[in-house]
Amino acid sequence: MTVTITAAGPLPAECGAEGEAGGYDVTVVGAGVVGAAIARELARFRLRTALVDAADDIGSGTSKANTAILHTGFDAVPGSLEARLVREGRELLAAYAGETGIPVERVGALLVAWDQEQLAALPGLLDKAARNGYHAARTVDADELRAREPHLGPGALGALEVPDESIICPWTTPLAFATQAVRAGVHLHLNCRVRDVGADDGGHTLTTSRGPLRTRYLVNAAGLYADEIDRLLGNDVFTVTPRRGQLVVFDKLARDLVGHIILPVPGPGGKGVLVAPTVFGNVLLGPTAEDLDDKTATGSTADGLRRLREKGRGIVPGLLDEEVTAVYAGLRAATGQEDYWIQEYPGLRYVAVGGIRSTGLTASMAIGRHVTGLLSAAGLELTGPRPLPPVTMPNLGEAFPRPYRSAALITGDPAYGTLVCHCEQVTLGEIRDALAATIPPRSLDGLRRRTRARGGRCQGFYCGAAVRALFEAGGPAAGNEQEAPRPAGAQDDEEARG
């Protein structure tokens, strides 16, 4: 296996500075879940494709800090591009998750009405779901709702049930896309911030923090910075306003309090605060919705957490008696319009992918297909398609087999029976495999997103030193590499975990 992943130093010669040989057919800017999905789709074809990101890892921006829901699209704006891509993307991603081992749990959702006005809105939401092609939704009365969710706060009058809403791992998904893409030949360049774009008859020359990169076609999937990249191409048609969503993660002992994703009935202010289980066995409360000016403001605030606790007290009062494992905040790329902004510019050989809202995880694979089609219409020659190399990702889901419980796996390799992180039951074997994976972590946070190590109730207080020592001993080299280093005995990340 030979893959091209660089993260430091000048970009390699094959990136093709202006006037030199080389360069790419297509470059995708932004290695979040959408950019990685686009790169994976392009990998099906015999193209020279690059995926670049300003950060040091896959999915380290908006993609790492969402509510991790696999949506049905029941409440999208009927007839919108988002509605179509979410509907198609859900089917694609559900199937892909089954093939690759991405944990998904079909827990269903309940949109709870807490007053008469919200109760009166449920039939309209049911009709909206039907117009979006989703026909499994139904209304439930207060008695059935209480039987389904006995820990709800007082005053719930009824709900709309959406049985196919699911929870998914938000970290494994973009990593799976990117892993498959680079194994199929896509070049991944990290720590590579795009500072300028020059266009000519032959395509584009990107000025990056690591040197020039030449490409015939360009896809802008830069998330929070998509508007800034778009302006470098001479456009000024959308503006990204970072919308901060703060969330509280409750301990696994709270999991029995919630059986479904519990949603509010949407109002003029948006979708509001939800309570949802996670595939990691925790319970989420959030998010807030705060429009900011700072695209780096991912810190939690005392006021935001106070407001979340007030909301949580009304939805599931028992949550407030449970231990808080963590708080975090993510920034969504809001554009002020109720649809995605995906626009091709054939004359520029350029596609902008902006304003991808919280449904972007669900729609990602469909967005990849849609953007590839736009590139083809703009003149990109697509030969193939060809099958992609199969991958099976390490399981991070609590409801699925974990290595520490597999006698057969431990018999074959005792490292899978050696716990390093006791809160999350992460083994030495899993950490070793993550460090030797096709796309290894370049930080302790990256290792946590691949293994859950340091993500439990002690937040690394007990295991932090041991995890750091393993990372420093087995992490990737600081410079460029063609293949991730592999400690003796490590498994490829496409191998099953028992």
Side-chain angles (χ1 to χ4, degrees), residues 254-327:
R255 180 63 181 83
D256 289 341
L257 293 175
V258 180
H260 302 76
I261 302 163
I262 300 175
L263 301 166
V265 175
K271 294 184 178 181
V273 172
L274 60 82
V275 175
T278 75
V279 294
F280 314 119
N282 302 93
V283 176
L284 279 181
L285 170 65
T288 58
E290 311 156 49
D291 286 343
L292 307 174
D293 296 324
D294 186 355
K295 293 182 178 181
T296 65
T298 56
S300 299
T301 66
D303 182 62
L305 298 178
R306 176 188 58 78
R307 286 186 282 120
L308 284 180
R309 289 180 65 85
E310 290 176 357
K311 289 285 188 180
R313 183 177 288 110
I315 301 168
V316 181
L319 272 182
L320 285 252
D321 297 325
E322 300 295 332
E323 294 291 333
V324 172
T325 294
V327 298

Side-chain angles (χ1 to χ4, degrees), residues 450-467:
R450 287 162 172 81
T451 64
R452 291 171 41 181
R454 298 170 53 253
R457 65 176 62 123
C458 85
Q459 290 291 287
F461 182 83
Y462 290 102
C463 70
V467 173

